[in-house]
Amino acid sequence: MTERYVFGTPFDTEAVLDKPAASPESALGHGLKLSADKKKVSYDLDKDDVIYGLGESLHGMNKRGFVYKTFNTDQTKHNEDQYSLYGSHTFILIEGAKGSLGIFTDYPGLVTYDLGFTDKDVLTITAEEADYEMYVITGKSGLEIITEFRKLIGKSYKAPLWAFGYGQSRWGYKCEDDIREVVRRHKENNLPLDAVYMDIDYMDNYKDFTLNPEAFPKFKEFVDEMKAQHIHLLPNVDAAIKIEDGYDMYEEGVKENYYCKDENGEDFIMAAWPGKSVLPDFLRPEVRRWFGLKYRFFTDAGVDGFWNDMNEPALFYSLKGLKETAEEISHLKDKTDTLDLYSLWHYLDTMNALANKPEDYRSFYHEPEGKKIRHDRVHNLYGYNMARAASEVFEEIAPEMETLIFSRASYIGSHRYAGIWTGDNSSFYSHIELILHQLPNLNMCGYLYVGADTGGFAFHTSENLLKRFMQVSLFTPLFRNHCALGCREQEIYRFKDIDAFRNLLNLRYALIPYLYKSYVDSIENNKLMFTPIGLAFPEDKEARHIEDQLLVGDDLMIAPVYKANASGRDVYLPEDMTLYLMKSDKDFTKTELSKGHHFINVDIDEVPIFVRKGKSLTLGKPAMSTAELE
Ligand code: GLC
C-alpha cells in the first residue's frame, strides 16, 4: 500500500505520473516522526534493521551508518569521504524487526540522509526546504514494496539487445583510424565487440553536434564501414554549449532564449570541457525538443547510441566565481615573504572550491512554464531532462533504429527515458565490490540498464584487476571497458593473456540470451534483476548481512572474487545450489553444494556461477557480436 504526503508546495518532478490521493499529515504513522518545521522525518532503528536504496550512492549495500546527500555531483573520487555522486535516487527500504517499509522522498534539491550516523539508532531524512512529497510504502516483504514502488514511478527504459554487447571506450580516441585500430585488433584476436565509444575528442573544439572535420572527414561512410562489421559508434554528448560566434547551436539558443539565466536575466556563463559555455534550460519542453532534434546530426548518419555526460551539470567554474577567485588569489603576490600556513590553506582551498560551488548552483535560474525557479531547488532534474530530450524524439527522428541512450546524472523519473553508468570510478579492487553494492540499489530505484567503467576509469589497471572487473561486469546490462586520458591503456589486447579474456567475453555472449530475458522480465514485472540474498530469503538471518552475493534473474547467483591476489572466497548458500566454475562457456567444472557456508577456490580465470535449486544454466552460443548471435 502507498500513502502520499504533501508538504508545502513541491515542484512537480514527474517522478510519479499517476499520483495517489494525498493523506493528511496527521496520518503519518509507521514510526515516522515529522519535525515542527516539516523539513525532517525521523525513524527509530532496531539493532538489526537493514537499509537498502539510494541507488548508485557509495558505501555498502546496506546504507546504514553513514550520511548521504542527494545533490548530483561531478565527483571523480568515489571514496568513503564523499556524500554525493552523479545521481540522486531518493528511495530507501528499511528491512527489520518491524517488517518492511519503503520511503520515497520526492524533492529535486538537496536531501540529507543520516542513516544511523549521528545517532546509531536513528534515521533522519532532511529536505533542504519543506516543499516535497513523501511516499510511504508498506507490504508483506521488501520485494513486494520494491515492486509497488516501481509501479508507482513507471516502467523502466528498455535498451535494445545490441546494448548488451561488449563496448570498448577510452578518453583519447581521436580519429577514424584510432577507432579502426580498436576494431581491427579485437577482430584479429577473435575478441567479440559490439561498440566503440567516441569520447569528447571527436568533437570540433568540444562543441556538441559537431565533428572534428580532419579527424572524421567522411563520417557517414565511416559509420557504414563500422556497421558492416557490426560495430555501433556511441558519441558522448555533453550538457554545456560552447560560447562561440558562428556556432549555430549556440547562436540559435541565444536567439530563442533557451539558456539558463543569472539573477540579472543574462545567460549564465560557466565552463566545462569547451571553456566558457552556457547551459540549455532542459526543464522547458521547447528547449528539450530543440536539443533533442539536434541528434539528427548523428542519427541521419546512422549512429544509434549515445551517452550524456557532465549533466549534473558539472561546473568547472562560473564566470562570476572565476573573477572573484582571481581577485582573491591576486593578493598572494604580496604575501610571498610572509605566508603563514593558514593563509596557504586558504589560497589552496580557494582554488579547489572553484568547481561545483554551492553559491554558483544558487545563482542561476530555470523558467519552466514561464515560472522562474532557482537552480539549486531543482538541481537533480537537470541530467534527467537532458536524457529525456533525446529519448523523447528518437521515435520521430530515427523510427527504424533501435537506439541506446544512457546518462551520467539522473533522478528517479529519468529511469523511464535512459540507462545510466556509474561515472568516474577508479582501477581499485574496492570499486569492483562497489558495483555489487550499487546494482540492487539502482534496480530498486528503477535503473535496470546500468553498468560501471570496467577496468576502472581513473588510475592504472593491471591485467588481473581487469579480469576481476570483467568477471562482475559480464553480468551487467552495460558492459563497457572505459578509462581516462593518461591512464594505462586497458583494451584487452594490450595484455598478455588474451585467451583468458576471450573466454570471458565468450561467456558473456553465451549468457546474453539469459541476461536479456531477465532484464526484460525485470522491466515488465517491476522486479530486481540483481537481488540481494537478504531480500530473496527474508527469513534467513545469515543471508541478511551478505553484501557481495547477488541473484541474477530468477535462476543464478553470483559471488565474484574482488580482492587482490585472492585464490577464492567465502560464500553463503541460502539453499542447496550447483556451482559452475566457468573458465569459458565450454570449459567448466560442476559441484553440488549444500545450504550453508563454504570456502570456494576460484582461479584468476574462473567465474563462479551458482545455479539455484530446481533451475538450470542455459547458455547460448557465443558470437563475435550480438548481430551474429543465433
Ligand atoms: C567525464 C566522464 C568520462 C569521460 C570524460 C571526458 O569525466 O565521466 O567518462 O571520459 O568526462 O569526456
Side-chain angles (χ1 to χ4, degrees):
M1 202 184 98
T2 302
E3 296 158 33
R4 170 170 163 251
Y5 296 92
V6 182
F7 303 113
T9 338
F11 184 87
D12 187 4
T13 63
E14 297 176 77
V16 178
L17 296 178
D18 196 6
K19 298 184 181 185
S23 303
E25 234 170 79
S26 56
L28 188 68
H30 316 288
L32 296 170
K33 285 167 277 184
L34 184 66
S35 65
D37 65 4
K38 304 197 178 153
K39 290 184 182 173
K40 188 190 290 189
V41 168
S42 54
Y43 177 88
D44 292 336
L45 292 165
D46 285 321
K47 185 168 161 287
D48 284 328
D49 283 354
V50 172
I51 307 169
Y52 295 100
L54 299 183
E56 77 181 356
S57 60
L58 293 164
H59 296 291
M61 189 185 287
N62 177 354
K63 311 315 288 183
R64 194 166 173 174
F66 300 97
V67 174
Y68 307 84
K69 296 185 181 197
T70 59
F71 197 78
N72 293 354
T73 304
D74 173 18
Q75 179 51 262
T76 47
K77 305 232 172 316
H78 297 191
N79 300 336
E80 295 192 17
D81 56 355
Q82 300 303 331
Y83 296 110
S84 313
L85 288 183
Y86 318 86
S88 292
H89 309 133
T90 51
F91 169 75
I92 58 167
L93 170 71
I94 309 166
E95 280 278 284
K98 296 191 283 288
S100 310
L101 187 65
I103 307 170
F104 171 44
T105 310
D106 190 9
Y107 179 70
L110 171 67
V111 183
T112 304
Y113 286 83
D114 183 335
L115 305 184
F117 176 79
T118 304
D119 178 331
K120 70 178 175 41
D121 301 319
V122 180
L123 164 165
T124 60
I125 303 169
T126 312
E128 196 163 52
E129 293 173 311
D131 294 309
Y132 61 97
E133 302 194 24
M134 184 169 270
Y135 295 82
V136 180
I137 310 173
T138 48
K140 286 200 290 295
S141 67
L143 291 180
E144 189 181 290
I145 289 175
I146 288 167
T147 296
E148 177 98 4
F149 174 61
R150 292 267 304 281
K151 277 190 198 151
L152 184 75
I153 57 174
K155 217 173 239 185
S156 300
Y157 166 77
K158 184 162 131 197
L161 178 85
W162 72 258
F164 275 57
Y166 179 63
Q168 180 58 52
S169 185
R170 178 178 173 83
W171 176 8
Y173 299 151
K174 286 203 161 37
C175 57
E176 291 181 356
D177 278 346
D178 286 353
I179 296 173
R180 279 193 188 102
E181 152 112 350
V182 172
V183 175
R184 183 180 59 77
R185 295 191 66 181
H186 277 82
K187 301 259 176 220
E188 73 190 18
N189 285 296
N190 281 320
L191 297 167
L193 185 71
D194 262 83
V196 181
Y197 287 75
M198 296 164 63
D199 206 329
I200 46 172
D201 316 271
Y202 76 82
M203 299 182 198
D204 177 15
N205 275 314
Y206 307 123
K207 289 184 294 221
D208 273 354
F209 308 108
T210 68
L211 288 155
N212 174 345
E214 279 134 50
F216 294 90
K218 291 188 176 151
F219 188 59
K220 169 111 183 59
E221 279 93 322
F222 180 59
V223 177
D224 288 343
E225 177 191 323
M226 289 295 121
K227 266 197 197 157
Q229 301 178 74
H230 305 299
I231 300 296
H232 298 258
L233 294 174
L234 289 96
N236 165 308
V237 178
D238 281 341
I241 302 298
K242 185 174 176 65
I243 298 180
E244 185 178 281
D245 289 342
Y247 172 28
D248 51 356
M249 177 139 192
Y250 167 65
E251 290 185 342
E252 265 171 51
V254 170
K255 192 164 133 250
E256 300 293 340
N257 252 322
Y258 282 165
Y259 300 121
C260 294
K261 303 288 181 222
D262 65 17
E263 44 268 279
N264 304 317
E266 304 292 329
D267 287 344
F268 171 70
I269 300 178
M270 44 69 74
W273 300 123
K276 270 202 309 183
S277 304
V278 283
L279 292 168
D281 186 354
F282 289 118
L283 268 60
R284 291 165 54 194
E286 66 277 23
V287 178
R288 281 204 295 277
R289 184 159 171 80
W290 165 71
F291 196 89
L293 292 176
K294 295 287 175 198
Y295 280 80
R296 275 196 177 124
F297 177 79
F298 289 116
T299 53
D300 286 355
V303 172
D304 54 4
F306 303 93
W307 44 311
N308 281 177
D309 197 4
M310 309 301 282
N311 52 354
E312 294 67 35
L315 304 179
F316 288 178
Y317 58 79
S318 71
L319 188 56
K320 187 163 166 274
L322 181 65
K323 286 182 178 162
E324 286 164 6
T325 302
E327 168 64 22
E328 183 58 27
I329 297 285
S330 71
H331 302 303
L332 185 59
K333 68 177 184 312
D334 308 323
K335 300 201 170 147
T336 48
D337 289 332
T338 56
L339 194 71
D340 61 84
L341 191 59
Y342 291 102
S343 306
L344 171 66
W345 285 345
H346 165 73
Y347 287 111
L348 290 173
D349 288 349
T350 304
M351 275 312 283
N352 281 333
L354 195 54
N356 304 323
K357 242 189 190 170
E359 297 96 282
D360 287 338
Y361 288 115
R362 287 197 290 269
S363 75
F364 66 99
Y365 296 81
H366 298 270
E367 286 187 39
E369 286 154 20
K371 281 192 259 82
K372 194 167 160 183
I373 176 144
R374 209 173 71 193
H375 173 80
D376 61 309
R377 299 186 166 133
V378 287
H379 174 72
N380 297 332
L381 301 180
Y382 194 77
Y384 166 166
N385 283 290
M386 178 183 178
R388 178 179 180 183
S391 202
E392 279 176 339
V393 298
F394 283 153
E395 195 49 47
E396 178 184 338
I397 65 173
E400 72 297 347
M401 280 184 186
E402 292 191 303
T403 45
L404 167 65
I405 179 153
F406 60 91
S407 170
R408 195 172 71 172
S410 57
Y411 177 81
I412 292 175
S414 74
H415 70 287
R416 297 191 299 267
Y417 298 102
I420 58 174
W421 96 100
T422 54
D424 300 350
N425 62 358
S426 296
S427 300
F428 297 163
Y429 280 91
S430 58
H431 286 183
I432 305 178
E433 186 181 9
L434 182 61
I435 306 174
L436 297 173
H437 299 163
Q438 290 171 319
L439 287 170
N441 288 325
L442 278 166
N443 281 185
M444 49 186 91
C445 296
Y447 295 93
L448 274 300
Y449 189 77
V450 290
D453 285 350
T454 301
F457 175 76
F459 199 50
H460 311 290
T461 203
S462 69
E463 177 152 352
N464 282 354
L465 178 69
L466 179 60
K467 282 183 182 168
R468 291 304 195 201
F469 247 109
M470 285 180 66
Q471 291 166 7
V472 173
S473 287
L474 70 82
F475 294 97
T476 65
L478 170 66
F479 184 16
R480 176 176 82 145
N481 177 327
H482 179 50
C483 75
L485 198 66
C487 296
R488 178 180 185 179
E489 292 169 306
Q490 64 185 39
E491 295 85 1
I492 286 173
Y493 50 78
R494 308 270 177 202
F495 297 98
K496 258 196 193 156
D497 204 357
I498 296 184
D499 291 347
F501 284 110
R502 185 183 313 105
N503 285 341
L504 292 178
L505 289 182
N506 283 342
L507 180 58
R508 160 65 169 210
Y509 278 75
L511 277 165
I512 285 180
Y514 174 76
L515 294 174
Y516 197 70
K517 181 177 90 36
S518 304
Y519 168 72
V520 173
D521 178 42
S522 311
I523 294 173
E524 298 301 331
N525 296 303
N526 295 302
K527 288 168 36 179
L528 301 179
M529 179 172 170
F530 296 96
T531 310
I533 59 168
L535 282 178
F537 299 88
E539 305 304 324
D540 187 331
K541 291 249 163 14
E542 297 271 328
R544 173 169 286 193
H545 297 289
I546 295 207
E547 304 216 343
D548 58 358
Q549 299 177 202
L550 289 168
L551 299 185
V552 183
D554 291 337
D555 303 350
L556 310 181
M557 184 183 83
I558 57 169
V561 174
Y562 53 85
K563 298 256 190 239
N565 306 313
S567 60
R569 55 162 290 169
D570 289 310
V571 189
Y572 173 69
L573 304 189
E575 61 185 8
D576 295 351
M577 291 188 186
T578 311
L579 166 63
Y580 287 79
L581 268 177
M582 318 272 313
K583 270 211 156 65
S584 77
D585 61 306
K586 291 187 193 66
D587 183 4
F588 54 84
T589 60
K590 190 177 159 191
T591 319
E592 301 298 334
L593 293 175
S594 53
K595 176 176 166 26
H597 290 276
H598 299 269
F599 180 85
I600 55 164
N601 292 301
V602 185
D603 184 72
I604 182 68
D605 294 329
E606 285 176 331
V607 184
I609 299 181
F610 297 84
V611 179
R612 296 184 62 186
K613 210 170 160 181
K615 308 284 186 183
S616 55
L617 179 63
T618 27
L619 294 176
K621 254 174 90 184
M624 289 297 285
S625 70
T626 52
E628 293 151 277
L629 282 173
E630 282 171 17

